[in-house]
Amino acid sequence: MQADLDAASAVVNVYRVGVWVLPAVDYSALPHLQARIIQLAQHRNRELWLTGQRLPMLRRLFERDAIDLHPAKPGLQTCWPVDKQELDNNPNQSANPACDDI
């Protein structure tokens, strides 16, 4: 496991130090495995920002490791009303009562 963390640190540090001119990271300095995975995932999240691979990575982390890098904040959930045409054409679809005040 330590060899994997060292390899991950080496890959991340190539970009942090060489490309982005940021300080190097040391994952072994973090207290437990969950914190190390979260920090590595945050770095990967930034790296994959415009590549089209970020959302699948976020989903995989959430489903496999229960790590949510973008937790919902109370009061910020977005509710979209279902339009009338969708309700008329799809008998399995019902209106969302939470969206009635929109």
Side-chain angles (χ1 to χ4, degrees):
M1 181 61 143
Q2 185 61 40
D4 293 338
L5 286 173
D6 293 339
S9 293
V11 170
V12 170
N13 286 330
V14 165
Y15 291 99
R16 285 185 62 89
V17 175
V19 178
W20 300 320
V21 193
L22 296 171
V25 295
D26 180 16
Y27 294 116
S28 61
L30 296 171
H32 59 288
L33 180 61
Q34 185 80 355
R36 295 171 186 173
I37 292 173
I38 289 171
Q39 187 172 10
L40 182 60
Q42 288 170 340
H43 290 202
R44 184 155 170 80
N45 188 23
R46 290 183 198 105
E47 179 185 334
L48 297 176
W49 178 45
L50 290 175
T51 65
Q53 300 172 11
R54 182 175 172 228
L55 186 58
M57 189 246 345
L58 292 174
R59 286 181 178 157
R60 211 172 25 255
L61 278 172
F62 183 72
E63 291 170 2
R64 187 186 61 200
D65 301 317
I67 295 173
D68 190 2
L69 294 181
H70 300 287
K73 295 170 181 65
L76 295 180
Q77 289 81 9
T78 303
C79 179
W80 297 99
V82 179
D83 64 287
K84 184 174 179 349
Q85 182 180 3
E86 180 65 27
L87 292 172
D88 291 343
N89 293 332
N90 188 348
N92 297 320
Q93 180 70 44
S94 61
N96 186 348
C99 295
D100 289 342
D101 59 347
I102 293 178

